[in-house]
Amino acid sequence: MLAVVLGAIRARRAQAATLFLLTALAVAAATAAPWYVVSAARSVAIADVTGAPAVQRVVLATARVETRPDADAAVRAEAGRIVDIRGGSGTASVRVSGQLVYEGGGQAATVAFRDEMCAHLTLVGACPTAAGEALVSDRTASGFGLAAGDTVTFAVAGKSPVKLRVTGTYQVRDPLGPYWAASVLGRASGTDTAAGAGDPVFTTAETVASTQVAELFAEYHVVVPVEAYLGLDGYDLAAEIDRQQDQAGAQWRVESRAPALVSRVEREQWLVNLGVSIAAVQLLLLCWFALFFAVRHSAEQRRPDIGWLKLRGGARWRVWALVFQQSVLPMLAGAVAGAAAGFGLARLLGEVDPDRVGYATTLTGRRGRGGPGRACRRRGRRPGRDGRRRHRPAPPRARAAPRVAGRRA
């Protein structure tokens, strides 16, 4: 029977090739579309996050903390428990406002320490490493006529002045980047409007504590990674920030503009999902429609085969096998080729996060289930019934009565 079916397929190559190509196209679209949706949604999220202002990519916790030599470590420990963003990197800073005095002149200034500050400054000189050493901005150095090795005085009202030895000058590197975003220490204008202070004077944490003030201004600054905006493993960044704000307590204040960016990412991902899904459904409907007519047309041409089998006394299962396999075999071959092409195309479309692989696979199974195969199977039954009716042998004619010799009709 298989040889008969293959022979019938070879005899009707055009119809078989049409079924093969249409099925391959439908299965390839159903296979690749979900992967493309996931990949495109990821690409949109990454583009939105990397192109967003740096202030929307940070979470900032601020408080007043007790003055002590390890105040920066205390800030990292306390604020790190409150602001815990998956994959985020935290930066602690402490500062105090006062007056910077040099040779009779003075200006308002902020003496501050910040984790990894020298890596984000353009230095002329050395980074302060010991108590009493400090960096001043180029603008402050020009105004006072300072150079490396000079000594300035920092005074806080009601406290003993602190001597600072200048080790170099600096300019803020990338003041609009994530490291300085939302922090008064990295403002491009160099002005702390809240405290009325000029450019910060960067020093060590021990030097900040030596001012002997009762409390220090503290910041804990977390840069949110791109992955946190993608919702991997069900992680909800906006909900996590809301929870942290509610649990911050009276001492710490948590603020962030990241939830606005999360809403933007979700909205654009939804638009991508909608657009790709509509296009994929339209393509599948077009393929199914074309397959319906292709199978119907080929069924009309199989009626002589069906009639020939019935006349030869073929069993019913042979008739069904002939009708069914002439459509199923090209479609099965097309489905295999289309699935392989769809998965190959999906790998070229872009990267898919590991936790979304199962999601994309599930969508692929749903879209490919019950589509062209069911429609064609339904059409495959009808030619057999029509053929049996149309090619059923006619009953034998009734014999004429014998004529009697010599008798008129």
Side-chain angles (χ1 to χ4, degrees):
M1 176 57 69
L2 182 59
V4 175
V5 173
L6 295 178
I9 292 176
R10 284 193 298 270
R12 300 182 179 91
R13 296 183 182 89
Q15 293 85 347
T18 301
L19 293 178
F20 175 85
L21 293 176
L22 289 175
T23 305
L25 180 60
V27 174
T31 302
W35 294 84
Y36 179 75
V37 166
V38 176
S39 176
R42 184 182 191 276
S43 299
V44 166
I46 293 175
D48 286 342
V49 175
T50 55
V55 72
Q56 293 185 337
R57 298 170 54 191
V58 300
V59 180
L60 183 65
T62 57
R64 292 175 178 266
V65 297
E66 180 185 0
T67 301
R68 61 188 199 185
D70 60 344
D72 58 321
V75 170
R76 282 190 290 270
E78 295 176 15
R81 287 193 297 268
I82 298 172
V83 182
D84 185 15
I85 302 298
R86 179 187 295 181
S89 56
T91 301
S93 63
V94 290
R95 70 182 192 273
V96 59
S97 297
Q99 192 79 9
L100 190 66
V101 181
Y102 180 72
E103 294 182 352
Q107 72 174 26
T110 298
V111 170
F113 166 80
R114 187 175 178 86
D115 292 335
E116 302 178 355
M117 58 187 181
C118 291
H120 298 273
L121 299 172
T122 301
L123 299 179
V124 177
C127 185
T129 56
E133 296 180 346
L135 285 170
V136 296
S137 67
D138 287 347
R139 185 167 60 176
T140 300
S142 299
F144 283 118
L146 294 172
D150 292 339
T151 301
V152 296
T153 301
F154 180 74
V156 179
K159 302 297 179 182
S160 301
V162 177
K163 297 293 183 180
L164 302 175
R165 185 177 67 85
V166 178
T167 61
T169 60
Y170 74 86
Q171 285 185 345
V172 175
R173 185 188 304 168
D174 192 15
L176 300 180
Y179 179 82
W180 298 107
S183 174
V184 298
L185 298 179
R187 289 181 177 175
S189 64
T191 302
D192 186 343
T193 56
D199 295 343
V201 177
F202 289 106
T203 183
T204 62
E206 295 81 3
T207 304
V208 176
S210 67
T211 58
Q212 299 179 357
V213 295
E215 292 179 326
L216 301 175
F217 294 97
E219 289 182 355
Y220 188 72
H221 178 275
V222 178
V223 178
V224 182
V226 175
E227 291 73 16
Y229 292 90
L230 303 181
L232 303 181
D233 298 326
Y235 185 75
D236 191 339
L237 177 61
E240 185 66 19
I241 293 176
D242 290 340
R243 182 189 64 80
Q244 293 170 5
Q245 290 174 335
D246 294 338
Q247 298 179 358
Q251 181 183 8
W252 288 92
R253 177 184 177 185
V254 178
E255 54 185 331
S256 177
R257 298 183 187 178
L261 182 55
V262 172
S263 300
R264 177 184 173 188
V265 169
E266 291 177 348
R267 182 175 63 255
E268 296 199 5
Q269 285 183 328
W270 180 82
L271 292 175
V272 169
N273 294 342
L274 179 63
V276 175
S277 298
I278 290 176
V281 169
Q282 289 176 341
L283 179 59
L284 288 176
L285 289 177
L286 179 62
C287 292
W288 294 342
F289 188 74
L291 275 171
F292 172 82
F293 282 100
V295 173
R296 182 174 182 177
H297 178 70
S298 61
E300 295 291 337
Q301 297 183 352
R302 295 181 194 133
R303 287 176 178 173
D305 299 339
I306 297 170
W308 178 80
L309 282 177
K310 296 298 293 182
L311 287 173
R312 295 290 297 270
R316 178 177 296 182
W317 70 269
R318 289 181 176 271
V319 176
W320 281 108
L322 179 64
V323 173
F324 204 60
Q325 293 180 32
Q326 288 187 52
S327 295
V328 169
L329 292 182
M331 292 177 65
L332 284 178
V336 173
F343 279 111
L345 182 61
R347 295 181 64 89
L348 298 177
L349 292 176
E351 185 178 356
V352 176
D353 296 305
D355 74 313
R356 301 296 176 89
V357 172
Y359 175 67
T361 304
T362 302
L363 288 181
T364 299
R366 289 179 179 177
R367 292 193 178 185
R369 188 183 305 151
R374 290 187 179 180
C376 294
R377 285 196 297 270
R378 287 195 297 267
R379 291 301 308 167
R381 297 192 188 102
R382 190 168 297 175
R385 291 197 296 267
D386 294 345
R388 288 195 299 269
R389 289 195 297 267
R390 185 164 297 187
H391 295 281
R392 182 179 296 121
R397 295 181 180 180
R399 295 181 179 179
R403 299 179 62 181
V404 180
R407 193 175 179 181
R408 296 182 179 178

